Amino acid sequence: MTKLRKLSFDAIVIGGGGAGMRASLQMAQSGFKTACISKVFPTRSHTVSAQGGITCAIASADPDDDWRWHMYDTVKGSDYIGDQDAIEYMCSVGPEAVFELEHMGLPFSRFENGRIYQRPFGGQSKDYGKGGQAARTCAAADRTGHALLHTLYQANLKNETTFLNEWFAVDLVRNKEGQVVGVVAIEIETGEVVFIESKATVLATGGAGRIYASTTNAHINTGDGIGMALRAGYAMQDMEMWQFHPTGIYGAGTLVTEGCRGEGGYLINKDGERFMERYAPNAKDLAGRDVVARSMMTEILEGRGCGENGDHVHLKLDHLGKEIVHSRLPGITELSKTFAHVDPAVTPIPVVPTCHYMMGGIPTNVNGQAITQTDGKDTIIPGLYACGEAACVSVHGANRLGGNSLLDLVVFGRAAGIFIEEQLQQGIEYAIASSDDIDLAVGRLRALDANDKGENTATLKRELQSCMQNYFGVFRDGEYMKKGREELNALRERIAGIVIGDKSKAFNTARLEALELQNLFEVAEATAIAADERTESRGAHSRRDYPERDDKNWLCHSLYHPELKNLTKREVNFSPKTVETFEPKVRTY
Amino acid sequence: MLVSVYRYNPETDREPYMQDVEVAISEGKDLMVLDVLNLMKEKDQSLSYRRSCREGVCGSDGVNMNGKNGLACITPLSEVVTNGKLVVRPLPGLPVIRDLVVDMGVFYKQYQRIKPYLQNSSPAASQERLQSPEDRAKLDGLYECILCACCSTSCPSFWWNPNKFVGPSGLLQAYRFLADSRDDATEERLADLDDPFSVFRCRGIMNCVSVCPKGLNPTKAIGHIRDMLLSRAT
């Protein structure tokens, strides 16, 4: 085999979204040789599409706001399988992380007194659920993700982070001692394959919403980090937990922020009824996303959907008046005109629950260290870290609250950066990889290039997506999931055997799309097995055959093991450091 | 529908060429140009282009469609197709890497050059820096830039002097920081731009305004910078 070119860094971050750039910024600030590796130019990452805001108790809208109330909401939102030590860390460190973003220049919207504007979002309360709706989501109009991502890119430029833009990570390199020593990546422009060696490898590769046919996620959200980790044999946590966002634009799947309902919008069925009043009498349209999505699907399935086929509902905003809609929700106005051909200040937007967010992922501790289990005990994977949507810390448990993903990615991107910084200061050496170790990581690429009989990416991707959509959507059922698993079994070999119709080197996107589909498949399989085997309903995981939450058996994380393709259980943390444990209760809104 | 698309593979083609392809489009559907490219790629996987969010916020898929720059993902066919034909070329004026993929290096270099980050020499407060809603409103129409390069690559002044003229996108961002009440590096920023090329090569052609997919107005921002430079000189 020809020897690969080698690049060496103290730390590498794979992924140039919010989490990845927050981590790389932290390490670049302290002068370590850090590279951020991204398959797209960083501001093309999916963080850019986040709209409504970043939830955090900065006590601007309400001077008495308390991060503990935010913590209570998040624990409840997670349906009690969010780790309370991690949620405590996120909610208490949050304000500092948000103020840092403001100091970097993030153009937050403002209140009259000059402080950061906050809006109400779903699942938010004051005084541990007893004080009514809170307004805790910090916003830059309805373009908060865009503002945040660009600000982080700018801060990285200021601190001279090395960017390897348009480089595609293929697989992790591990040595015989089980240490992660870097990654094999393709420089997309030339097609050259390079070994990137590092003392610390951070996976910040985001989500994988493209396993579903209908998703708010960008084309690039293909779970590359999850795919790499699964192929390396590492366990994944809570992969059955997928959030379906209540308001994806019908037909197009593009996101309409929950902030619309925060600003006073609400959902109506074909009779014009504000149906959320029936399902969540207190929070109504601002109940947890899982609750709202299920209520919408129930309306549709019971024949009260809108349109000719009765297959969507309407999001009504026109009563707010043109001024509010156009000034606070300018991005939504644009998107609705482009993709639904309506001006939301005049006509309701047709919406339908759409795959949005992966609550599961690579299990980590609050320092971003990736975890696996041996003999039922947590062990650290040496050299590997994860943060953002790719990671499962877990702060979202079975259902994420709106505005918590941006907070998750800055808090834990930052935390991973701080921890690796300390490790590097104490002095860690490069772990040695043999040429066999590196060769192993190039294997997938080599096999793909060698295939000459098989099917193409587009056909296989469509089959995978429709299988996931049909059998593993908002409502699930054991019998159907068995069918789905069979279909997936049949797809595995076919996807391993993809033939690409173009084997050239320079900017070959056909090769990348095939590699991405293989990653999607790994994610889909983990999802399917975990969903089928968690025999209860909790948060976003809703089963017709097991409609109740089962705390006796399932108040725990699921761990999916790729080699045995089985599921084990991992304890949820109920031991926050500074507050009392929030005990599981019946979850109503 | 007939689609004519710019093709160039550096490994096999000595020079670029236009390829005509007949694409079947279902009746009554007003697809976006990106959807059409995706259909074409299913048939011919060697066609290369960038895309990510597919909703007009990431700025990946800036291309030239029937002579006008825009984002393929939010441009419906009804808006661009003339005489039943769609013509797609890479953004003009930048080196082509392959097909519709251009080398954006010089564009990013001009962005970096204006120091696109907040500079404030006073120590940061323990909370956020305060900013009135009126001061914050001054950033509207500036911060929304998605770096798609549709504007700069439609600008004849940028075609001529891409290394010396900052271009509409970079200048819009320069003004975004000049206009920010929290930034105190105004003097340094203006000094960096004070030469015959960086700003003053703008001839007010306003192609940037007519193509910006986000409806922003770089010419207006450039006007403000000119005013600041002129009042600084007197």
Side-chain angles (χ1 to χ4, degrees):
Chain A
M1 279 304 142
T2 44
K3 203 165 177 310
L4 303 184
R5 175 155 68 103
K6 182 169 95 173
L7 297 175
S8 297
F9 295 93
D10 290 319
I12 55 174
V13 179
I14 303 169
M21 286 209 288
R22 187 61 191 83
S24 59
L25 173 64
Q26 194 66 37
M27 295 183 280
Q29 277 171 341
S30 52
F32 287 105
K33 199 179 165 203
T34 310
C36 181
I37 302 166
S38 176
K39 66 178 176 178
V40 293
F41 182 78
T43 63
R44 323 291 180 211
S45 307
H46 190 53
T47 303
V48 82
S49 291
Q51 296 172 352
I54 175 166
T55 302
C56 185
I58 61 163
S60 168
D62 170 9
D64 298 324
D65 200 12
D66 191 319
W67 66 262
R68 293 165 193 89
W69 301 348
H70 180 197
M71 179 178 172
Y72 166 83
D73 292 343
T74 304
V75 170
K76 177 183 171 188
S78 79
D79 221 345
Y80 300 96
I81 62 163
D83 288 310
Q84 298 200 7
D85 59 340
I87 296 174
E88 175 188 38
Y89 181 82
M90 177 175 82
C91 296
S92 62
V93 172
E96 202 180 325
V98 169
F99 293 140
E100 282 171 0
L101 290 171
E102 195 282 332
H103 296 155
M104 289 175 213
L106 200 154
F108 282 112
S109 302
R110 302 285 173 157
F111 283 120
E112 276 308 317
N113 65 6
R115 292 206 63 193
I116 293 171
Y117 173 73
Q118 292 184 295
R119 61 162 57 109
F121 247 52
Q124 292 180 357
S125 75
K126 298 181 183 189
D127 196 17
Y128 309 104
K130 292 175 295 212
Q133 177 73 39
R136 194 174 290 130
T137 301
C138 310
D142 58 356
R143 304 189 178 97
T144 317
H146 168 276
L148 186 147
L149 190 68
H150 280 251
T151 301
L152 282 175
Y153 180 63
Q154 294 162 351
N156 273 281
L157 285 181
K158 189 177 182 183
N159 287 280
E160 297 177 358
T161 305
T162 302
F163 281 102
L164 299 180
N165 292 335
E166 298 188 328
W167 283 56
F168 184 94
V170 178
D171 265 313
L172 295 169
V173 178
R174 287 181 307 158
N175 65 15
K176 299 284 174 296
E177 287 73 47
Q179 293 162 299
V180 173
V181 296
V183 72
V184 163
I186 303 171
E187 183 182 29
I188 298 173
E189 183 175 337
T190 60
E192 186 187 357
V193 181
V194 179
F195 168 44
I196 306 171
E197 174 190 58
S198 172
K199 296 170 186 172
T201 301
V202 184
L203 293 174
T205 48
R210 288 274 156 181
I211 63 170
Y212 289 95
S214 170
T215 174
T216 63
N217 284 196
H219 286 292
I220 59 169
N221 287 26
T222 52
D224 301 334
I226 309 293
M228 286 190 269
L230 282 169
R231 276 189 300 275
Y234 302 135
M236 286 303 127
Q237 183 166 282
D238 297 337
M239 288 302 290
E240 64 277 33
M241 301 302 180
W242 281 86
Q243 177 162 84
F244 288 78
H245 195 291
T247 54
I249 293 182
Y250 170 69
T254 47
L255 172 70
V256 174
T257 176
E258 186 168 306
C260 291
R261 284 170 281 141
E263 297 290 351
Y266 56 84
L267 297 162
I268 51 175
N269 59 21
K270 72 169 182 188
D271 306 319
E273 183 203 1
R274 184 177 183 180
F275 57 85
M276 280 312 298
E277 287 178 334
R278 272 188 278 122
Y279 297 92
N282 298 313
K284 301 187 179 94
D285 295 79
L286 288 178
R289 285 182 179 172
D290 54 333
V291 176
V292 180
R294 273 194 294 277
S295 310
M296 291 167 72
M297 286 310 293
T298 306
E299 289 298 295
I300 292 168
L301 294 170
E302 290 179 359
R304 291 185 296 277
C306 305
E308 252 172 60
N309 302 318
D311 53 359
H312 59 275
V313 301
H314 281 147
L315 173 62
K316 183 174 151 55
L317 291 170
D318 56 305
H319 58 284
L320 300 177
K322 267 203 163 84
E323 203 190 299
I324 294 270
V325 173
H326 291 170
S327 69
R328 297 214 185 128
L329 304 165
I332 292 312
T333 304
E334 241 178 84
L335 281 170
S336 309
K337 286 180 180 168
T338 308
F339 291 104
H341 312 292
V342 299
D343 178 351
V346 182
T347 316
I349 312 170
V351 291
V352 70
T354 304
C355 166
H356 184 56
Y357 189 87
M358 175 177 80
M359 267 80 71
I362 301 161
T364 70
N365 59 25
V366 290
N367 297 317
Q369 292 178 288
I371 288 169
T372 188
Q373 280 202 333
T374 32
D375 306 325
K377 283 218 174 63
D378 283 1
T379 48
I380 303 286
I381 302 170
L384 188 67
Y385 299 79
C387 55
E389 191 171 342
C392 183
V393 183
S394 148
V395 286
H396 309 306
N399 171 64
R400 174 173 73 75
L401 293 188
N404 267 355
S405 62
L406 291 184
L407 187 65
D408 170 10
L409 59 83
V410 289
V411 166
F412 291 104
R414 181 179 179 272
I418 291 171
F419 184 79
I420 295 169
E421 218 173 6
E422 285 167 5
Q423 298 285 299
L424 290 169
Q425 267 151 7
Q426 287 167 18
I428 32 175
E429 293 304 313
Y430 287 105
I432 304 300
S434 70
S435 58
D436 284 356
D437 301 331
I438 301 168
D439 227 40
L440 207 62
V442 192
R444 178 164 76 110
L445 187 59
R446 217 173 270 140
L448 176 66
D449 279 336
N451 287 345
D452 56 5
K453 255 207 281 229
E455 295 161 275
N456 68 35
T457 308
T459 314
L460 292 167
K461 191 194 277 177
R462 239 189 312 264
E463 277 191 45
L464 176 72
Q465 290 172 335
S466 81
C467 170
M468 294 307 291
Q469 190 79 28
N470 293 341
Y471 303 120
F472 303 94
V474 174
F475 290 115
R476 296 164 175 181
D477 186 284
E479 197 186 317
Y480 285 103
M481 286 195 283
K482 294 273 179 303
K483 246 193 231 167
R485 284 179 70 170
E486 281 165 25
E487 282 187 19
L488 286 176
N489 280 339
L491 266 171
R492 174 169 274 284
E493 284 305 306
R494 293 166 64 200
I495 285 179
I498 300 177
V499 169
I500 49 175
D502 171 18
K503 299 202 174 171
S504 60
K505 289 173 89 71
F507 226 102
N508 183 335
T509 50
R511 181 178 287 120
L512 303 184
E513 285 183 17
L515 293 169
E516 287 174 335
L517 177 58
Q518 293 178 341
N519 290 329
L520 284 174
F521 181 82
E522 300 293 346
V523 176
E525 185 177 60
T527 298
I529 292 174
D532 188 20
E533 303 207 357
R534 184 185 275 270
T535 47
E536 65 155 353
S537 289
R538 179 184 301 275
H541 179 60
S542 177
R543 293 186 61 144
R544 292 187 185 285
D545 48 352
Y546 294 92
E548 300 301 323
R549 189 172 90 186
D550 177 3
D551 283 352
K552 195 161 149 262
N553 293 302
W554 288 105
L555 187 63
C556 62
H557 297 297
S558 73
L559 270 192
Y560 165 75
H561 303 272
E563 271 147 12
L564 300 170
K565 294 192 197 298
N566 68 342
L567 208 69
T568 59
K569 297 174 180 181
R570 179 169 175 249
E571 277 180 19
V572 170
N573 179 293
F574 284 100
S575 310
K577 294 195 174 70
T578 62
V579 294
E580 283 192 28
T581 302
F582 293 106
E583 299 293 344
K585 290 192 291 197
V586 177
R587 184 166 160 259
T588 54
Y589 285 100
Chain B
M1 187 185 61
L2 185 64
V3 184
S4 183
V5 61
Y6 182 102
R7 302 300 308 263
Y8 173 66
N9 179 343
E11 287 161 50
T12 52
D13 303 326
R14 287 179 60 176
E15 52 189 42
Y17 61 98
M18 296 302 291
Q19 180 186 33
D20 285 351
V21 184
E22 194 62 46
V23 182
I25 311 244
S26 343
E27 280 290 314
K29 269 203 165 175
D30 193 12
L31 296 183
M32 300 293 175
V33 172
L34 180 62
D35 299 327
V36 176
L37 292 175
N38 290 341
L39 288 172
M40 290 167 72
K41 192 171 175 65
E42 285 191 20
K43 298 261 191 287
D44 175 1
Q45 292 180 43
S46 71
L47 177 65
S48 292
Y49 50 91
R50 295 187 175 104
R51 86 283 180 273
S52 173
C53 74
R54 63 79 166 89
E55 56 187 15
V57 293
C58 80
S60 297
D61 62 351
V63 288
N64 183 280
M65 295 160 287
N66 289 45
K68 192 172 174 184
N69 291 353
L71 299 176
C73 62
I74 52 168
T75 304
L77 290 176
S78 59
E79 218 172 79
V80 287
V81 169
T82 42
N83 300 325
K85 187 175 175 182
L86 172 70
V87 183
V88 190
R89 295 169 176 271
L91 290 174
L94 295 176
V96 173
I97 294 172
R98 177 176 178 169
D99 298 340
L100 302 173
V101 179
V102 290
D103 178 352
M104 296 181 62
V106 67
F107 172 81
Y108 293 138
K109 207 180 84 193
Q110 291 296 1
Y111 173 65
Q112 223 165 314
R113 204 200 114 182
I114 59 100
K115 302 202 172 81
Y117 38 79
L118 194 82
Q119 299 181 63
N120 187 313
S121 47
S122 59
S126 62
Q127 295 190 339
E128 72 268 48
R129 290 195 167 94
L130 299 181
Q131 185 173 47
S132 69
E134 295 72 33
D135 279 339
R136 168 59 183 76
K138 291 176 187 158
L139 308 183
D140 287 336
L142 304 171
Y143 83 95
E144 301 93 325
C145 173
I146 56 172
L147 301 179
C148 64
C150 284
C151 61
S152 293
T153 61
S154 71
C155 171
S157 299
F158 190 75
W159 295 339
W160 277 109
N161 292 294
N163 289 305
K164 292 197 267 185
F165 173 50
V166 174
S169 169
L171 289 171
L172 185 85
Q173 289 307 299
Y175 187 62
R176 176 249 173 277
F177 290 98
L178 285 167
D180 196 323
S181 61
R182 300 169 297 169
D183 189 283
D184 64 9
T186 307
E187 173 51 32
E188 295 87 330
R189 290 184 187 280
L190 290 175
D192 281 347
L193 294 170
D194 196 0
D195 61 66
F197 279 92
S198 298
V199 178
F200 289 101
R201 277 286 134 169
C202 169
R203 299 296 192 224
I205 300 165
M206 296 181 75
N207 278 357
C208 54
V209 182
S210 72
V211 300
C212 177
K214 305 310 285 182
L216 310 179
N217 189 333
T219 306
K220 193 169 154 197
I222 295 169
H224 288 305
I225 303 177
R226 277 176 199 265
D227 288 348
M228 292 173 93
L229 284 169
L230 290 173
S231 52
R232 176 174 172 269
T234 50

